[in-house]
Amino acid sequence: MPQQGDADFLGCTELFGGLDPKVLEGIAARGTSRLVRAGQAVFRQGSEPTHLHLVMKGWVKIGHVTGSGAPLTIGIMEPGDVPGCVAVFRHTPYPATATAIVDSWLLTWPAAVVSELMERHPRISANALGLVGGRTEEMLHRSREFATEPVECRIARVLLRLAAKAGQPVGGGTEIIFPLSRQDIAEMAGTTLHTVSRTLRMWQRSGLVAGGRRRVVIQDEKALRAVTLDH
Amino acid sequence: MPQQGDADFLGCTELFGGLDPKVLEGIAARGTSRLVRAGQAVFRQGSEPTHLHLVMKGWVKIGHVTGSGAPLTIGIMEPGDVPGCVAVFRHTPYPATATAIVDSWLLTWPAAVVSELMERHPRISANALGLVGGRTEEMLHRSREFATEPVECRIARVLLRLAAKAGQPVGGGTEIIFPLSRQDIAEMAGTTLHTVSRTLRMWQRSGLVAGGRRRVVIQDEKALRAVTLDH
């Protein structure tokens, strides 16, 4: 069940920001809370978008796979984000799979309720357009990076982006607060596990990063940023 | 000045489809026709989106550059497309430069008029959301290709995509109807001129493509498709 405070939270999200508190309460009341355990799927690539999901707590990874291609992590969704919203708005199958990175709480609404809410409150449509437009631009920048940047640069960007989004200070460095394997990094940077391992070993020796299994600490952000600077 | 028939044309576009003919006439009447010569910019990356542009006739290339990175062609816009619309909807600077490939006619509206039209006709907002969402998915697929596919596969995809969008039958093959240099192909596939030249020479020898300066004919579509099939 949705909880008290959910309406306030919705008012701070990009999708529902700017709506009247009473309207937000109504929207929260129509949602259903759902706990998705770490490693479980929120929705799967290719399936019909029956529900809109909003992350209330936790982290959700968006991964895209092809027949024979390597898996690619397109993004990490944080509280306030609405993974898969484009598919819901367009009534087309999910183009990717969303997986909870840690135990995560979501608030969900049936797609038909979302359509009804958007018709009744044009502000939601306007917000949705801004949100989806922002994602298009983000994908544009990612495409450019994949197409033109050397792999070290892409790995550095992945780590800097995660530090900005999900970093906590730890002894002079910044630790990524959720478990992150070398394979995860490879899927975000569009490269192989082998290349990520080799690059991180090199950066560990020169003191740019530290960490162990599924744990990454950025120790020299300035040096890591320098890796991306020429691009 | 907008011409007779413009309203009918608008009614067939993704952005204005489904609107009442009277409304379409009003929208066409508020637009301004603009001729952009081949090689000239419709708008430039980083500038403010003062106008919405709809391609009425011609072809427009969307190119993204970075400080030191190689230029990347993100897409080719055809009649009915609205290059730069995301920036106009979000009131953020254009993320790329739009350049006419051939002499092209556009219909343009000031951004303020677009906002007003969207408020008055929620159908335009709904269409815009579908359109921008579609672009997000397209960018997702491009990202995945750039991140995970070998370069020959990306070059083959560029040619097949152009043939589907802007191809005309010519003696058993399909010719891309606008001038297309090796450099253009390199910028679309996210690779170098050298690699494109080498790959096309190889494909010419084995009869997959033909052509000369700024001219490309796909002669064996099936074989070209096979290049992409493993990915």
Side-chain angles (χ1 to χ4, degrees):
Chain A
M1 280 296 96
Q3 313 206 331
Q4 237 183 341
D6 282 358
D8 293 345
F9 182 79
L10 292 186
C12 299
T13 64
E14 197 172 350
L15 184 58
F16 296 116
L19 289 168
D20 188 88
K22 274 269 162 259
V23 172
L24 290 168
E25 270 174 39
I27 294 172
R30 296 185 74 175
T32 305
S33 279
R34 179 179 165 203
L35 171 64
V36 181
R37 295 287 181 190
Q40 300 293 307
V42 178
F43 54 77
R44 285 180 196 285
Q45 183 173 330
S47 64
E48 290 303 318
T50 56
H51 286 75
L52 182 74
H53 302 84
L54 190 140
V55 182
M56 301 296 283
K57 208 176 160 183
W59 299 93
V60 172
K61 181 175 88 169
I62 311 296
H64 178 74
V65 289
T66 43
S68 61
L72 183 70
T73 297
I74 302 154
I76 304 287
M77 298 278 167
E78 63 188 328
D81 283 338
V82 271
C85 68
V86 172
V88 177
F89 298 150
R90 297 181 72 222
H91 315 288
T92 52
Y94 291 117
T97 293
T99 309
I101 298 174
V102 297
D103 290 357
S104 301
W105 280 98
L106 298 121
L107 200 53
T108 74
W109 297 265
V113 170
V114 175
S115 300
E116 184 204 315
L117 288 172
M118 290 176 89
E119 259 175 54
R120 200 183 310 166
H121 308 289
R123 178 64 187 252
I124 303 178
S125 294
N127 286 351
L129 186 56
L131 191 160
V132 175
R135 245 188 237 181
T136 308
E137 287 206 9
E138 208 181 298
M139 292 305 300
L140 185 161
H141 289 287
R142 297 296 301 282
S143 288
R144 206 259 311 150
E145 291 164 20
F146 285 135
T148 65
E149 291 188 347
V151 67
E152 284 77 16
C153 178
R154 274 147 45 191
I155 296 173
R157 274 195 207 282
V158 164
L159 296 182
L160 290 167
R161 218 175 260 142
L162 286 172
K165 200 168 197 171
Q168 63 184 2
V170 46
T174 305
E175 178 171 8
I176 312 296
I177 62 173
F178 49 73
L180 187 72
S181 69
R182 267 84 182 120
Q183 180 62 34
D184 291 332
I185 297 172
E187 291 179 13
M188 286 185 224
T191 183
T192 61
L193 174 58
H194 176 78
T195 303
V196 168
S197 296
R198 186 175 45 75
T199 308
L200 289 190
R201 266 200 309 275
M202 188 178 73
W203 287 348
Q204 278 177 350
R205 275 198 300 269
S206 43
L208 272 68
V209 302
R213 213 180 87 79
R214 290 164 67 75
R215 184 167 170 271
V216 176
V217 179
I218 291 159
Q219 291 193 301
D220 190 343
E221 191 183 314
K222 208 173 145 193
L224 208 54
R225 204 165 290 285
V227 175
T228 71
L229 264 195
D230 284 339
H231 298 278
Chain B
M1 280 295 96
Q3 313 205 331
Q4 237 184 342
D6 282 359
D8 292 346
F9 182 79
L10 292 186
C12 298
T13 65
E14 197 173 348
L15 184 58
F16 295 116
L19 290 168
D20 189 88
K22 273 268 161 261
V23 172
L24 289 169
E25 270 174 38
I27 293 172
R30 295 186 73 175
T32 306
S33 278
R34 180 180 163 202
L35 171 65
V36 181
R37 294 285 180 193
Q40 299 294 307
V42 178
F43 54 76
R44 284 181 196 284
Q45 184 172 331
S47 65
E48 290 303 318
T50 55
H51 286 75
L52 182 74
H53 303 83
L54 190 140
V55 182
M56 301 296 284
K57 208 177 162 185
W59 299 92
V60 172
K61 180 174 90 168
I62 311 297
H64 177 73
V65 289
T66 43
S68 61
L72 183 70
T73 298
I74 302 154
I76 304 287
M77 299 278 167
E78 61 188 329
D81 283 338
V82 271
C85 68
V86 172
V88 176
F89 297 150
R90 296 182 71 222
H91 315 288
T92 51
Y94 290 116
T97 294
T99 309
I101 298 175
V102 296
D103 290 357
S104 300
W105 280 98
L106 299 121
L107 200 53
T108 75
W109 298 265
V113 169
V114 175
S115 300
E116 184 204 316
L117 288 172
M118 289 176 91
E119 258 176 56
R120 200 182 310 166
H121 308 290
R123 176 67 188 250
I124 302 177
S125 295
N127 287 350
L129 187 57
L131 190 160
V132 176
R135 244 187 239 183
T136 308
E137 287 206 8
E138 208 182 298
M139 292 306 300
L140 186 161
H141 291 286
R142 297 295 303 279
S143 288
R144 205 259 311 150
E145 290 164 20
F146 285 137
T148 65
E149 291 188 348
V151 67
E152 283 78 15
C153 178
R154 275 148 45 194
I155 296 172
R157 272 194 207 285
V158 163
L159 297 182
L160 289 168
R161 220 175 259 140
L162 287 171
K165 199 168 196 169
Q168 65 184 1
V170 45
T174 305
E175 178 171 9
I176 312 297
I177 61 173
F178 49 73
L180 186 72
S181 69
R182 268 84 180 118
Q183 180 62 33
D184 291 331
I185 297 173
E187 291 179 13
M188 285 184 225
T191 185
T192 60
L193 174 59
H194 175 78
T195 302
V196 168
S197 296
R198 185 174 46 75
T199 307
L200 289 190
R201 266 200 311 274
M202 188 177 75
W203 287 348
Q204 279 177 349
R205 274 198 301 268
S206 42
L208 272 68
V209 301
R213 214 180 85 80
R214 291 163 67 75
R215 184 166 170 273
V216 176
V217 179
I218 291 159
Q219 291 193 301
D220 190 344
E221 190 182 316
K222 208 172 146 195
L224 208 54
R225 205 165 291 282
V227 175
T228 72
L229 264 195
D230 286 336
H231 297 279

